[in-house]
Amino acid sequence: MSEQEKIGLARFDPSKNASVDLWFHDSVELAHGCRTSIKIKDVLCHYRSRCQEIAVFETEALGRMLVLDEITMLTEFDEFAYHEMIVHVPLLVHPSPAKVLVIGGGDGGTVREVLKHPEVEQVQVCEIDEEVVKSCRRFLPSLASSFDDPKVEILYRDGARFVAEHAEAYDIIIVDSTDPVGPGQILFQRPFYEDMKKALREKGIAVTQCESIYFHPDVIRGVFSFARELFPELHYYYTMVPTYPSGIIGFFFCSLACNPLKGPSRERAASLKGLRYYTPALHRAAFTLPRFGAALVDPEAPSGT
């Protein structure tokens, strides 16, 4: 297998007179026989860390793109839709989000959004792979420059083990994780959610990346089956990200006390700078699921009402 084939890159000549093009093929199939392809201008970096294969591409139309193990993590074109919704929904619901833990998030986008909240006093980032941070600092500074803020501490640790060691330590936990494959599987299992609950302070909120209602219903049902027994307030919401499978990706909102539909703080939301996706109205609308999606997290209300 060639080096290009190893990272999902392929060259083809559509006609005898056409120039040769370079495309990235995401390893995740949207459905059987369907996958996403993105035209690439340049390979900025490609190497294997101790944990995974890392690549950053300059794309034809989507800006720079981070790829881990042949799966698209983000593009500059639409990353804001993901990062704004994973952050501002919980932080604007919590009455005083002073201490925040980000598990994963080595690209820096989640931290960038967290730092827009003046109430936040400390942000700890627990990222297992130091090389992701290094690559993003160099090639994705619009996200990773957030790591330079004095409020931020980066810890190169296993996130699941770290959470288990820190009881009642955080107001907000944000799990900005990869898909539930390989080492990431543990972040979608009951013991991790139990440890997250213990790591939250009074009125604490955890938000976890939890896939697409179109292509990952079994994952969502599985997490819901045990998370509903752990958190008094458990809700699922989503955001629209064109470069992710199905164009949407969802999150579980796991709270010890706060109902996300009784917020957010409009005053605090109005003070946030540089937003491109989040609004208080969209915040509330994101929890309204289509009928088949509502059935995944509330079988007793299949109508989605």
Side-chain angles (χ1 to χ4, degrees):
M1 181 181 293
S2 70
E3 192 68 14
Q4 289 178 359
E5 290 171 326
K6 288 180 181 178
I7 55 173
L9 291 173
R11 289 185 180 273
F12 67 95
D13 191 349
S15 71
K16 292 183 179 179
N17 297 322
S19 60
V20 176
D21 292 328
L22 186 64
W23 291 75
F24 167 72
H25 302 315
D26 198 307
S27 67
V28 176
E29 288 195 356
L30 305 185
H32 181 65
C34 301
R35 64 198 306 188
T36 301
S37 295
I38 298 173
K39 192 174 183 181
I40 302 301
K41 291 170 61 176
D42 194 13
V43 179
L44 302 178
C45 77
H46 168 231
Y47 64 104
R48 177 167 290 280
S49 71
R50 62 181 176 82
C51 301
Q52 60 203 327
E53 192 172 22
I54 301 171
V56 180
F57 303 133
E58 187 77 52
T59 72
E60 185 73 21
L62 305 179
R64 293 186 174 182
M65 177 169 68
L66 173 66
V67 174
L68 301 179
D69 283 340
E70 301 185 32
I71 299 174
T72 302
M73 294 292 108
L74 65 88
T75 72
E76 290 180 314
F77 170 73
D78 57 12
E79 55 83 11
F80 62 91
Y82 174 87
H83 290 121
E84 289 184 22
M85 290 298 280
I86 201 173
V87 170
H88 301 312
V89 169
L91 267 74
L92 288 171
V93 170
H94 194 286
S96 181
K99 189 170 182 180
V100 179
L101 173 65
V102 178
I103 296 177
D107 54 73
T110 293
V111 173
R112 179 194 65 199
E113 298 302 316
V114 169
L115 291 171
K116 293 178 180 179
H117 293 259
E119 300 83 6
V120 173
E121 299 172 359
Q122 182 184 25
V123 187
Q124 289 185 314
V125 181
C126 193
E127 166 61 55
I128 197 169
D129 192 350
E130 184 175 2
E131 293 300 319
V132 172
V133 175
K134 287 181 179 179
S135 295
C136 291
R137 279 184 182 275
R138 180 176 179 186
F139 297 109
L140 290 163
S142 63
L143 291 83
S145 62
S146 62
F147 292 136
D148 297 328
D149 192 284
K151 292 182 179 180
V152 178
E153 178 185 14
I154 305 177
L155 306 162
Y156 297 107
R157 298 273 306 277
D158 177 277
R161 292 182 180 178
F162 183 83
V163 165
E165 297 167 358
H166 291 78
E168 299 182 8
Y170 301 99
D171 300 302
I172 302 285
I173 298 175
I174 299 174
V175 184
D176 184 3
S177 67
T178 57
D179 296 324
V181 293
Q185 288 181 341
I186 193 172
L187 302 180
F188 293 78
Q189 296 173 0
R190 182 178 184 122
F192 174 68
Y193 274 70
E194 290 175 339
D195 290 335
M196 273 203 308
K197 181 180 180 180
K198 295 174 184 176
L200 290 171
R201 295 172 173 172
E202 184 181 6
K203 297 184 180 180
I205 300 170
V207 166
T208 62
Q209 185 277 113
C210 204
E211 306 299 316
S212 166
I213 56 176
Y214 281 96
F215 296 129
H216 312 102
D218 291 342
V219 174
I220 296 169
R221 284 195 199 97
V223 172
F224 177 77
S225 69
F226 59 75
R228 64 180 173 177
E229 300 173 2
L230 301 174
F231 292 92
E233 293 285 349
L234 180 68
H235 305 262
Y236 187 89
Y237 70 101
Y238 69 94
T239 185
M240 295 179 286
V241 186
T243 49
Y244 287 161
S246 80
I248 66 172
I249 192 165
F251 314 97
F252 267 112
F253 182 102
C254 312
S255 175
L256 299 182
C258 302
N259 184 326
L261 297 177
K262 294 183 178 179
S265 168
R266 287 184 171 272
E267 181 179 352
R268 284 161 54 199
S271 70
L272 299 177
K273 305 299 183 183
L275 299 188
R276 299 175 61 192
Y277 190 93
Y278 179 92
T279 68
L282 189 61
H283 172 126
R284 293 187 295 273
F287 288 89
T288 301
L289 304 178
R291 186 176 299 229
F292 76 93
L296 297 177
V297 295
D298 190 358
E300 297 180 359
S303 65
T305 58

